[in-house]
Amino acid sequence: MASLDEIFETFAAKTSNLKRCMDIRNAAKSPACMCDLHAIDREMGYLEQGLQELRSIVDEEKRKLGQARALKDVTDRYKDWLQHAANNLPRHLPGQTIKDCSAPKSKCEVTSGPTTKKYVKKARTQSFPRIDYLTVDEFKNIPKYSRGRMTYDQVNKAIDEIHKVVDSKYKIVNLPRSSMGESVMNKYKAFKEAECKETDGLYFFVEDDIKSYSGLKMDAKGRALLTVLRLSGRITEVRTEGLLRYALKD
């Protein structure tokens, strides 16, 4: 059972609340009070509108953040792919310059040079011309019926084999006669016998040279490779007295 003091405090609190209600009721009839209330209502409206706009901005930024994260994931994947490609560039890729590899292997590197239409030529140790590697566009422009199933890399590897042939042949041709043994002299004579007025000033080879000094087989595929090099302007054919010669073109 409540004490007299508690009953008094409860009654006093209710009386105070009733008094506040009467004050508010009387204030509501005042023009100044109504003006203040309308102003407060307008300010609350502005605040609600601003809050709604802020929520819209936050939602839009969340959406853009999601897009940015997805784009970053794609960019990271492309970065990894490009880094892998850069670390594994094929030696026939246009714009690649082969550094001098006379140093230990750990110091022999491949560096990128300016992109040009043709492959950068290797350092020359002989006076005869070198064949430029085909570019991807040049390879694609060769008729499909001529290149068949051969690949771009196979064509450029064939150029390397041709360089081996010409290297070997003209090293012998340029030797002093006095330094030639019988075997080398026989090869020298064969090379000279294959010459004709149409090959004057040209560096050329025949099928026997390919068989002797390269790993390129003169089967249907090997002859098709030579046809592709002829169509791309890398070599030209000289045929006289039943002998087919393949001459290098600068």
Side-chain angles (χ1 to χ4, degrees), residues 3-15:
S3 64
L4 184 60
D5 290 337
E6 291 173 343
I7 294 174
F8 177 77
E9 289 176 358
T10 301
F11 181 78
K14 290 182 176 181
T15 301

Side-chain angles (χ1 to χ4, degrees), residues 80-146:
D80 293 340
W81 180 83
L82 289 172
Q83 186 61 53
H84 175 76
N87 292 337
N88 296 274
L89 290 175
R91 64 190 297 265
H92 297 309
L93 189 67
Q96 291 301 305
T97 303
I98 309 299
K99 283 189 177 180
D100 180 12
C101 293
S102 58
K105 290 186 176 180
S106 61
K107 297 182 180 180
C108 178
E109 301 175 351
V110 177
T111 57
S112 296
T115 302
T116 59
K117 180 182 178 182
K118 296 183 178 180
Y119 284 77
V120 177
K121 294 182 179 179
K122 297 178 181 179
R124 299 184 180 184
T125 57
Q126 300 290 328
S127 59
F128 52 84
R130 305 300 255 182
I131 303 175
D132 288 330
Y133 294 117
L134 268 68
T135 64
V136 174
D137 288 340
E138 286 177 316
F139 177 73
K140 290 181 178 178
N141 287 333
I142 300 296
K144 180 66 175 178
Y145 63 82
S146 295

Side-chain angles (χ1 to χ4, degrees), residues 6-24:
E6 291 173 343
I7 294 174
F8 177 77
E9 289 176 358
T10 301
F11 181 78
K14 290 182 176 181
T15 301
S16 177
N17 289 337
L18 288 172
K19 185 177 179 181
R20 289 195 187 93
C21 289
M22 291 300 296
D23 291 339
I24 293 172

Side-chain angles (χ1 to χ4, degrees), residues 210-224:
I210 293 176
K211 295 174 183 177
S212 299
Y213 302 110
S214 79
L216 187 63
K217 296 181 179 180
M218 289 310 298
D219 52 12
K221 182 178 179 181
R223 291 185 174 88

Side-chain angles (χ1 to χ4, degrees), residues 49-110:
Q49 182 180 356
L51 182 60
Q52 186 61 38
E53 292 176 353
L54 184 59
R55 286 173 177 169
S56 298
I57 293 173
V58 171
D59 291 340
E60 179 65 15
E61 292 302 316
K62 286 181 179 179
R63 185 184 67 82
K64 291 181 178 179
L65 180 60
Q67 292 179 338
R69 286 173 176 168
L71 182 60
K72 182 179 182 298
D73 291 340
V74 173
T75 303
D76 288 342
R77 287 197 296 272
Y78 272 104
K79 179 182 177 182
D80 293 340
W81 180 83
L82 289 172
Q83 186 61 53
H84 175 76
N87 292 337
N88 296 274
L89 290 175
R91 64 190 297 265
H92 297 309
L93 189 67
Q96 291 301 305
T97 303
I98 309 299
K99 283 189 177 180
D100 180 12
C101 293
S102 58
K105 290 186 176 180
S106 61
K107 297 182 180 180
C108 178
E109 301 175 351
V110 177

Side-chain angles (χ1 to χ4, degrees), residues 111-207:
T111 57
S112 296
T115 302
T116 59
K117 180 182 178 182
K118 296 183 178 180
Y119 284 77
V120 177
K121 294 182 179 179
K122 297 178 181 179
R124 299 184 180 184
T125 57
Q126 300 290 328
S127 59
F128 52 84
R130 305 300 255 182
I131 303 175
D132 288 330
Y133 294 117
L134 268 68
T135 64
V136 174
D137 288 340
E138 286 177 316
F139 177 73
K140 290 181 178 178
N141 287 333
I142 300 296
K144 180 66 175 178
Y145 63 82
S146 295
R147 54 186 168 93
R149 294 184 177 180
M150 73 179 65
T151 65
Y152 171 71
D153 194 51
Q154 287 173 335
V155 175
N156 284 328
K157 284 182 178 179
I159 291 177
D160 287 336
E161 294 300 316
I162 289 173
H163 287 162
K164 290 179 183 178
V165 173
V166 180
D167 279 342
S168 300
K169 174 181 177 177
Y170 284 95
K171 281 179 182 177
I172 293 175
V173 171
N174 293 331
L175 284 175
R177 296 282 189 93
S178 58
S179 66
M180 296 183 184
E182 182 179 356
S183 175
V184 175
M185 178 60 73
N186 290 336
K187 292 178 182 179
Y188 174 83
K189 290 179 179 179
F191 295 151
K192 300 302 287 185
E193 288 173 359
E195 294 180 356
C196 61
K197 64 179 182 179
E198 287 80 7
T199 61
D200 186 33
L202 298 178
Y203 293 87
F204 70 93
F205 56 92
V206 298
E207 285 194 10

